[in-house]
Amino acid sequence: VTHALSKICDMVCLNIMWLICCIPVVTIGASTTALYSVMLKMVKNEEGYIFRGFFKAFKENFKQSTIMWLLFAALWIVWWLDYNFTGALPGQLSFVFRVLFLLLGFILLSVMTYAFPLTARYINPIGATLKNALILTVAKLPYTFLMVVVIVAAVLGSFWNTTTFMFAVPLWLLIGGSLVAWINSWILRR
């Protein structure tokens, strides 16, 4: 019981650090990489001091993670604009392009889901990290699908209705991000 409470407390602290470091928006990538750096150790029971580990990983991976985050943010903006544009296309063409863009969105989210943990775990240039993330997306499709479902279900569940939103906001502020990272870190161990 004490061990479980200690883990939960660590996850709450990690979530708060992650949120604070995400506030400048530009640092979301570095913050997420640092979160995964500690979480990947936590699921293997190798974590040390979480504050020290988080900020060490944040500093070490800052440049690469920030560049990757800005790249992903730009790609998501282009994806969103293109997806919304397809709604203006006539009839069946609109449906076909919407499905195509949903598939592209799945691939983009999948690559992003692997990219930050890979950066946390391995030292590689950005191109190699993104290539490895894409390879893992395809090669480990069931795990990829499971991790994407965890993220999408958590976000969509939070916005389902007013009641779930009111319940989700304090949950996200307290433990949400680190809980999603913890679940995905267990999946990544495979």
Side-chain angles (χ1 to χ4, degrees):
V1 175
T2 309
H3 183 69
L5 288 175
S6 174
K7 288 273 189 202
I8 291 169
C9 184
D10 286 350
M11 287 173 68
V12 169
C13 292
L14 273 171
N15 196 71
I16 292 168
M17 287 187 293
W18 175 69
L19 283 173
I20 290 170
C21 291
C22 282
I23 289 172
V25 179
V26 175
T27 59
I28 290 174
S31 185
T32 302
T33 300
L35 176 66
Y36 271 104
S37 179
V38 176
M39 261 324 150
L40 288 166
K41 290 176 186 166
M42 192 180 278
V43 297
K44 292 195 290 185
N45 292 314
E46 295 176 355
E47 81 275 12
Y49 298 104
I50 60 164
F51 289 97
R52 191 180 304 154
F54 182 90
F55 288 112
K56 181 177 184 249
F58 185 88
K59 195 172 100 178
E60 287 175 354
N61 299 303
F62 182 81
K63 183 181 177 187
Q64 181 168 349
S65 298
T66 302
I67 291 169
M68 280 196 318
W69 164 247
L70 294 173
L71 176 67
F72 282 124
L75 289 171
W76 277 116
I77 290 167
V78 169
W79 179 88
W80 180 251
L81 293 171
D82 287 344
Y83 180 78
N84 285 322
F85 174 74
T86 60
L89 295 173
Q92 286 294 102
L93 200 58
S94 174
F95 175 76
V96 169
F97 274 100
R98 285 257 165 142
V99 170
L100 181 66
F101 275 102
L102 284 174
L103 181 62
L104 287 172
F106 172 80
I107 293 168
L108 183 56
L109 182 57
S110 301
V111 169
M112 196 169 143
T113 301
Y114 280 110
F116 296 113
L118 283 172
T119 303
R121 190 85 171 102
Y122 303 105
I123 299 169
N124 277 320
I126 293 170
T129 299
L130 295 176
K131 180 180 145 199
N132 291 337
L134 183 60
I135 290 168
L136 285 170
T137 293
V138 176
K140 302 291 182 184
L141 200 55
Y143 293 120
T144 300
F145 186 74
L146 192 57
M147 288 191 301
V148 168
V149 165
V150 167
I151 294 167
V152 171
V155 172
L156 289 181
S158 299
F159 290 101
W160 192 257
N161 59 36
T162 309
T163 307
T164 59
F165 183 74
M166 297 307 287
F167 177 74
V169 169
L171 195 65
W172 279 104
L173 291 174
L174 203 60
I175 199 169
S178 62
L179 185 61
V180 168
W182 182 75
I183 293 167
N184 280 346
S185 293
W186 271 103
I187 297 167
L188 285 166
R189 276 189 70 191
R190 307 279 176 248

